[in-house]
Amino acid sequence: METEYDDFRASVRSLAADKIAPYAADVDEKERFPEEAWAALRAADLPGLPYDEKLGGSGADLLSQVIAVEEVAAACGSSALVLLVNWAGTSTVVSHGSDELKSLIVPKVASGSAGAAWCMTEPTVGSDLSGIRTSATRQGGDWVLNGQKRFISNAPWAEWYAVLARSGENDFGVFMVHRDDTGVSFGPHEKKMGMRGSPTADVILDDCRIPAVRVVADPMQGYQYINGELNVSRALIAAQALGIAQGAFNAAVAYTSEREQFGQPLARFQMLRGMVADLAVKVSSARALLYEAVALIVAGDPRARARISMAKLLCSDNAMAVTTDAVQLYGGYGFTREYPVERMMRDVKITQIYEGTNQIQRLVIAKDVYARQVRS
Ligand SMILES: Cc1cc2nc3c(=O)[nH]c(=O)nc-3n(C[C@H](O)[C@H](O)[C@H](O)COP(=O)(O)OP(=O)(O)OC[C@H]3O[C@@H](n4cnc5c(N)ncnc54)[C@H](O)[C@@H]3O)c2cc1C
């Protein structure tokens, strides 16, 4: 079925094939920032997709953002992560920030000349964000931040950091910290299993003083603001997983069509055809659920929260299975770095963990099921 999004998908796919995929293995091998991909994404104005035109963006809808992330991730998971984390890092400013804060931060991020990060996780706190220890204390007209944020994507490449910090006994705010603010430093780059082109490091705040204008709206409502952005950020992570799955699937179909054993292409063996059929179902069903969840988010439907948890769960679990079977379909070559499926299998693992682990998604889904006492 053709849709109005087909041309857009085709243009991002072609950009990813020409300007991102050729560098993906090198980015992974050297654990380096995907410079070529970022230049290509900037040249195509993709960093500005979600932002209002007044702020230098193109005002694209959520499905367009999802499609862009899918297509970039099919070529290079790390490049997709850099892109979508920029969007997540600015999301609370866009939704709740003052006009002054928006114009300070968003236009540069929209143009791709600045990066953004969002900083919630801490050394002792991941799934249970209510336990965060980073503190924000009012001092005169300023706020002073102290604490340590762990596993922060885009650190220290980013310029702006949306930091969730404790502003009262049981209250939290979102504070926009600049890389050059006094008291900001970064830990060493994490050495990771996958997504090795996406820089990940601690963000350390040691008496970091920022002016009150850098607080996102109400300093006691940050938890609610972050919570409100989770539907979109989970949709983007689901899209990333789905894109990687699609990339591995495409590669496996091409490989099994060419490689011969016992005098015929692998694709003729019924056992492998069954595997490939199962992978096709995993990719298509994950995409269908994600797009349904995206439609609910856009419509402001209260069912969106549980549905996006289902989509994040299904997209990432299916993507893990698809990439693992893609390695199997390549045989021994799949286990080498000569072919992309090995990288894709490593990259995709994290999609089951970040933006709420899949155990946490199950908690959200089960809570909704019992609250509604309905089957879907
Ligand atoms: C590459 C990478 C990039 C990241 N990027 C960012 C980022 O940009 N910003 C950011 O803030 N964070 C980021 N993170 C952190 C990520 O979101 C957390 O690692 C994740 O939320 C899990 O938290 P944790 O690691 O502390 O695990 P824990 O919360 O300690 O969980 C450990 C295990 O216990 C399970 N578990 C926990 N609670 C429950 C429960 N109630 N019921 C059942 N099981 C449970 C979990 O599912 C998991 O299996 C990133 C992490 C990585 C590795």
Side-chain angles (χ1 to χ4, degrees):
M1 187 180 66
E2 285 196 17
T3 74
E4 62 195 278
Y5 295 94
D6 287 351
D7 286 348
F8 176 67
R9 185 189 289 280
S11 72
V12 183
R13 181 173 297 173
S14 142
L15 171 139
D18 294 347
K19 303 200 167 129
I20 298 177
Y23 305 98
D26 191 66
V27 160
D28 172 64
E29 188 69 28
K30 298 188 176 137
E31 305 197 29
R32 66 173 180 84
F33 188 79
E35 297 289 354
E36 301 85 353
W38 191 244
L41 293 170
R42 285 189 68 181
D45 291 333
L46 291 178
L49 267 189
Y51 307 109
D52 206 275
E53 286 173 23
K54 280 184 287 190
L55 291 168
S58 49
D61 62 12
L62 182 57
L63 187 54
S64 302
Q65 297 164 44
V66 160
I67 288 169
V69 168
E70 262 184 72
E71 294 299 331
V72 174
C76 173
S78 294
S79 302
L81 187 56
V82 170
L83 182 67
L84 74 88
V85 169
N86 259 17
W87 299 343
T90 47
S91 58
T92 55
V93 172
V94 169
S95 299
H96 306 283
S98 65
D99 287 345
E100 190 179 355
L101 196 56
K102 281 183 194 159
S103 53
L104 178 69
I105 294 172
V106 178
K108 273 184 84 180
V109 176
S111 75
S113 64
W118 78 336
C119 313
M120 286 168 280
T121 307
E122 299 184 355
T124 57
V125 171
S127 299
D128 179 14
L129 282 184
S130 66
I132 64 168
R133 295 177 180 180
T134 297
S135 63
T137 315
R138 182 106 208 199
Q139 285 187 10
D142 298 336
W143 285 85
V144 176
L145 303 176
N146 278 291
Q148 187 160 356
K149 293 294 180 179
R150 175 132 301 166
F151 296 144
I152 303 307
S153 301
N154 281 355
W157 170 78
E159 192 165 321
W160 289 102
Y161 299 83
V163 174
L164 184 68
R166 192 177 285 276
S167 47
E169 201 181 328
N170 290 308
D171 298 305
F172 305 89
V174 177
F175 300 85
M176 296 308 296
V177 170
H178 189 275
R179 179 178 56 202
D180 296 336
D181 286 334
T182 51
V184 178
S185 61
F186 303 97
H189 281 217
E190 297 288 348
K191 295 191 190 319
K192 309 195 295 286
M193 169 195 290
M195 297 292 174
R196 289 151 49 128
S198 157
T200 314
D202 281 9
V203 175
I204 300 155
L205 304 163
D206 185 9
D207 280 337
C208 168
R209 180 178 290 269
I210 62 168
V213 69
R214 298 244 221 99
V215 183
V216 176
D218 185 338
M220 303 296 159
Q221 292 293 315
Y223 193 76
Q224 289 79 348
Y225 299 156
I226 293 280
N227 216 19
E229 302 305 327
L230 284 181
N231 282 352
V232 168
S233 62
R234 286 177 178 164
L236 296 173
I237 294 298
Q240 183 192 32
L242 178 60
I244 297 172
Q246 185 74 62
F249 177 77
N250 296 347
V253 169
Y255 185 81
T256 50
S257 302
E258 300 217 329
R259 168 89 169 165
E260 293 194 356
Q261 288 295 289
F262 299 95
Q264 56 180 336
L266 297 177
R268 293 265 176 82
F269 297 120
Q270 221 163 8
M271 203 183 291
L272 300 196
R273 293 177 80 85
M275 274 175 80
V276 168
D278 286 346
L279 300 191
V281 172
K282 285 190 165 70
V283 171
S284 291
S285 55
R287 180 171 288 116
L289 185 58
L290 174 58
Y291 288 12
E292 186 196 89
V294 165
L296 291 178
I297 295 172
V298 171
D301 191 306
R303 290 171 300 172
R305 174 51 57 108
R307 201 56 61 99
I308 198 60
S309 284
M310 290 183 197
K312 194 267 185 185
L313 175 70
L314 192 72
C315 286
S316 57
D317 280 0
N318 281 6
M320 195 68 242
V322 169
T323 54
T324 306
D325 274 357
V327 169
Q328 190 71 18
L329 288 165
Y330 269 78
Y333 294 100
F335 199 66
T336 71
R337 295 202 183 165
E338 195 181 340
Y339 291 94
V341 288
E342 176 268 350
R343 166 174 50 83
M344 291 167 168
M345 182 179 157
R346 285 186 287 106
D347 279 353
V348 94
K349 178 61 202 170
I350 188 62
T351 65
Q352 296 178 301
I353 296 172
Y354 56 25
E355 222 53 34
T357 67
N358 283 2
Q359 283 75 32
I360 296 300
Q361 307 305 332
R362 287 181 172 89
L363 291 182
V364 174
I365 295 162
K367 186 175 170 194
D368 181 75
V369 167
Y370 284 109
R372 292 174 191 276
Q373 294 288 318
V374 289
R375 287 208 185 89
S376 66

